[in-house]
Amino acid sequence: MPTISEERIYDLIGSIYDRARETSPDGWQSVYNDLASMVSSGPGGLSLYSQDADRFNVVAGTMQPEFLDSYSEYYKFVSPFNDVVTKMKTGERFSRMQKCPDDEFESSEIYQDFFRKQDVYEFEYQVLFNRNGFNAGISFSRPKSNKHFTPSERNAISVIVPHLHRAFLLHLELVGAKREKLAMADALGKIPRSVIVVGRSRRVVFANSFAEKLLALKDGIQIDANGILCASGTNRSKRLAAVVNGVFEPSLDIGKYESGLLQLHKPSGGRALQVLVSPFMEKELSKIENERLAIVFVHNPDDRTHTAEEVLCHVYDLTSAEAHLTAILADGKSINEACELLAITQNTARTHLNRNFSKTDTNRQTELVKLVIKSNASLIAGSPNTEK
């Protein structure tokens, strides 16, 4: 039997670590194909078993999808190996030939109706790791006509599996970090206020959709050609820089990073922007000074408040007319202005308003408006209208 060269093994190990740096699972298919080819394996795969869902999810493999579906839906319940495999610990290896005699296996339902159709006689499964409710493993198989793995093939697997263990863990860590980043960006994007994340130099690393629209106006706050957050006018930019710098520099008396507040006037003459700058990354998370981040909240008093009227109807059991009136008042309009917009009399408006008080457990118009603005209706409504 020919041996597997060290060069081939090292090349495959290098490919494994290359795939670990990617957040897409696609690269693992080529890794598994190379591994399967090296040990002359039949159908198998690199999989994640979820203990909560009691299901194998194949990251990469050579088994037909319809067979995987039929295993999950039926054959795992009649398999004499399923309970053993799913309870294995990191580093443990399962071999069908060691756990189940050939005659017993050949007479089993799972062989007759499932494995034989794929020409699988011997199969092995090795656990890469078992943690947080997931069991990651890799499987190989051989046909009945060539059921034994050679010593050279087993040696190659024993050398490669520890690297696959570390590389796949690193891959999942990167995937988790990307998922958390996307989740945070999505959460910040739903906040009905301009949110900007900057580094120590005020270089913008993130801006939600509200902030992007505000920055595009270049009216009080903007991004310069170098990607630096600045204010309209040199003096105001210096003030903004000083506030951001104060967030990154701990106060001498208490040794803590503090938030900073300032107002930025608009060249257009509109009401001044209200800016709050706070630490966004704790010092302990990074030893590199430039990696610390600050979060900038910008309130534009000239923004219109948008309210999802259908949410008001659902949450407070308002009628469409009552919700429409409430949304207009929450946008800063007076009763008289609301009457003109809705083409209704003041008596009708007052009737709607009194019903709104009763349904929302409020007593005054200001109290009603405050309740609505702080409700989830403003989150669902979307980004504010920044047009003048």
Side-chain angles (χ1 to χ4, degrees):
M1 287 289 182
T3 61
I4 300 172
S5 68
E6 290 185 354
E7 182 180 2
R8 186 177 182 184
I9 292 175
Y10 292 150
D11 285 345
L12 187 49
I13 290 173
S15 176
I16 287 172
Y17 284 111
D18 286 340
R19 299 291 82 76
R21 296 181 298 174
E22 302 172 0
T23 54
S24 169
D26 297 340
W28 291 106
Q29 185 62 54
S30 63
V31 166
Y32 184 80
N33 289 343
D34 290 342
L35 274 169
S37 174
M38 184 179 65
V39 299
S40 303
S41 173
L46 178 63
S47 61
L48 274 174
Y49 170 71
S50 170
Q51 295 175 4
D52 291 339
D54 188 24
R55 185 179 182 88
F56 281 94
N57 296 299
V58 178
V59 177
T62 53
M63 189 175 290
Q64 295 299 317
E66 56 267 25
F67 282 105
L68 293 172
D69 292 340
S70 63
Y71 180 84
S72 296
E73 293 171 3
Y74 175 73
Y75 288 104
K76 73 176 183 180
F77 298 106
V78 299
S79 169
F81 325 117
N82 191 73
D83 287 344
V84 176
V85 169
T86 56
K87 294 177 182 178
M88 289 167 58
K89 305 299 181 183
T90 300
E92 291 184 336
R93 181 176 67 88
F94 172 87
S95 168
R96 194 284 300 168
M97 294 176 65
Q98 293 179 357
K99 301 294 183 181
C100 181
D102 289 355
D103 55 350
E104 181 181 330
F105 178 60
E106 290 179 17
S107 63
S108 67
E109 178 185 2
I110 195 169
Y111 174 70
Q112 292 293 329
D113 295 345
F114 184 71
F115 285 124
R116 189 172 64 171
K117 294 179 180 179
Q118 303 166 75
D119 199 17
V120 170
Y121 192 76
E122 162 65 335
F123 62 90
E124 295 193 358
Y125 176 80
Q126 186 155 345
V127 180
L128 300 178
F129 62 84
N130 191 328
R131 70 175 195 176
N132 299 330
F134 286 95
N135 179 318
I138 188 166
S139 61
F140 302 104
S141 72
R142 298 298 282 268
K144 188 175 183 179
S145 60
N146 184 23
K147 61 184 180 181
H148 295 289
F149 290 94
T150 68
S152 178
E153 290 167 342
R154 290 194 179 281
N155 177 67
I157 292 173
S158 67
V159 171
I160 289 173
V161 162
H163 294 281
L164 186 60
H165 160 81
R166 290 191 289 270
F168 198 53
L169 270 178
L170 177 59
H171 167 73
L172 293 180
E173 292 286 351
L174 291 175
V175 169
K178 182 178 180 180
R179 183 170 56 247
E180 290 177 3
K181 179 181 177 181
L182 292 174
M184 180 174 292
D186 188 53
L188 292 176
K190 286 182 169 60
I191 297 175
R193 181 160 298 184
S194 296
V195 180
I196 307 165
V197 179
V198 299
R200 187 183 184 92
S201 65
R202 287 178 289 122
R203 186 176 301 279
V204 175
V205 298
F206 171 81
N208 67 0
S209 59
F210 298 84
E212 288 175 350
K213 291 186 177 183
L214 179 62
L215 293 167
L217 295 175
K218 297 182 179 180
D219 191 16
I221 195 168
Q222 61 198 62
I223 301 176
D224 68 14
N226 297 315
I228 306 300
L229 187 68
C230 59
S232 299
T234 303
N235 291 334
R236 296 189 184 100
S237 284
K238 288 181 179 180
R239 289 185 58 198
L240 177 61
V243 170
V244 172
N245 187 63
V247 167
F248 285 98
E249 294 291 343
S251 58
L252 297 178
D253 54 340
I254 59 176
K256 293 182 178 179
Y257 295 84
E258 297 186 9
S259 301
L261 289 165
L262 77 157
Q263 285 193 334
L264 296 177
H265 296 284
K266 300 177 182 177
S268 66
R271 288 178 290 182
L273 302 173
Q274 300 168 12
V275 180
L276 169 66
V277 186
S278 296
F280 193 54
M281 179 186 287
E282 294 183 6
K283 181 179 179 181
E284 291 76 11
L285 295 180
S286 176
K287 297 298 183 183
I288 303 175
E289 188 72 17
N290 289 335
E291 286 190 355
R292 297 187 198 145
L293 300 173
I295 187 166
V296 182
F297 297 94
V298 185
H299 172 57
N300 184 4
D302 293 327
D303 276 344
R304 293 182 56 194
T305 300
H306 284 241
T307 303
E309 295 175 22
E310 63 272 19
V311 177
L312 296 178
C313 293
H314 178 72
V315 174
Y316 300 112
D317 197 27
L318 304 185
T319 65
S320 178
E322 292 165 354
H324 200 171
L325 173 64
T326 302
I328 291 174
L329 296 177
D331 191 34
K333 299 293 191 296
S334 66
I335 283 289
N336 290 338
E337 290 172 318
C339 289
E340 293 181 7
L341 289 171
L342 298 174
I344 59 176
T345 66
Q346 286 202 8
N347 285 337
T348 300
R350 293 293 179 188
T351 299
H352 289 331
L353 192 57
N354 286 331
R355 289 175 180 166
N356 290 347
F357 290 157
S358 177
K359 293 179 180 181
T360 60
D361 197 24
T362 55
N363 297 304
R364 297 186 301 276
Q365 183 176 322
T366 54
E367 190 178 356
L368 173 65
V369 169
K370 183 185 295 184
L371 175 70
V372 170
I373 290 176
K374 290 184 177 181
S375 74
N376 287 336
S378 59
L379 290 177
I380 298 174
S383 59
N385 183 356
T386 53
E387 295 180 2
K388 295 290 187 280

